[in-house]
């Protein structure tokens, strides 16, 4: 529904929905308010069904994911379909991929219906270029 709102109202809704989530990440707390605001505006939302694979071990990561609702399971490289841990609303994953151009070290699979807010590395790097 955000495209149907005025630009200012859409920005306010995004800030309300995403600001605290982004500030839960320690390195984002170091950013000035205007940078956090631009980061929030860059967020896109995706939905996953139970048993959907969100990321796969070994693929090159380009995004960081914030869990807005639902639960995901984490599987490590050496653990064939053995759950290492579960992540829930308010938690995040993929932060290493946002900062580096490395391969994913775990597979993430939706256990329930999941809503994720996602920041891409391209958007993040563009933001850093504008605000070194």
């Amino acid at each position: 529904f955000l495209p149907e709102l005025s630009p200012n109202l859409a920005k306010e809704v995004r800030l309300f929905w995403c600001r605290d989530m982004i500030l839960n990440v320690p390195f984002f707390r170091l950013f000035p308010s205007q940078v956090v605001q631009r980061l929030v505006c860059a967020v896109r939302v995706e939905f996953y069904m139970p048993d959907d694979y969100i990321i796969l071990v070994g693929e090159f990561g380009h995004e960081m994911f914030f869990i807005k609702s639902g639960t995901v399971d984490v599987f490590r490289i050496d653990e064939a379909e053995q759950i290492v841990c579960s992540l829930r609303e308010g938690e995040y994953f993929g932060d290493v991929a946002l900062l580096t151009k490395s391969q994913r070290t775990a597979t993430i699979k939706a256990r329930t219906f999941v809503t994720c807010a996602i920041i891409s590395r391209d958007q993040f790097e563009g933001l850093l270029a504008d605000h070194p």
Side-chain angles (χ1 to χ4, degrees):
F1 71 92
L2 287 177
E4 297 173 16
L5 301 176
S6 70
N8 286 339
L9 184 56
K11 183 193 280 186
E12 290 298 320
V13 169
R14 281 183 180 275
L15 283 170
F16 175 79
W17 195 66
C18 296
R19 187 175 187 282
D20 290 342
M21 166 194 74
I22 287 176
L23 292 177
N24 279 338
V25 180
F27 66 85
F28 287 147
R29 288 187 211 136
L30 303 173
F31 292 1
S33 178
Q34 67 181 10
V35 174
V36 172
Q37 188 175 30
R38 286 194 53 205
L39 197 54
V40 165
C41 290
V43 165
R44 78 175 192 277
V45 177
E46 288 190 8
F47 304 93
Y48 300 93
M49 297 188 335
D51 295 324
D52 279 354
Y53 286 94
I54 300 172
I55 63 173
L56 297 172
V57 68
E59 69 184 8
F60 283 93
H62 303 284
E63 297 122 345
M64 179 176 182
F65 297 77
F66 298 87
I67 303 171
K68 291 300 291 176
S69 66
T71 303
V72 301
D73 292 323
V74 180
F75 302 89
R76 297 295 297 212
I77 294 173
D78 52 351
E79 314 274 338
E81 289 296 315
Q82 185 175 357
I83 299 171
V84 173
C85 69
S86 295
L87 301 173
R88 293 173 174 69
E89 180 177 332
E91 296 183 288
Y92 57 89
F93 56 93
D95 44 319
V96 173
L98 192 67
L99 301 173
T100 67
K101 296 180 180 172
S102 60
Q103 290 179 298
R104 302 280 190 189
T105 59
T107 292
I108 308 290
K109 184 178 180 181
R111 179 188 296 177
T112 64
F113 289 98
V114 176
T115 304
C116 286
I118 302 168
I119 298 172
S120 74
R121 185 180 329 115
D122 290 341
Q123 292 167 322
F124 182 67
E125 287 176 348
L127 185 67
L128 291 181
D130 292 345
H131 301 276

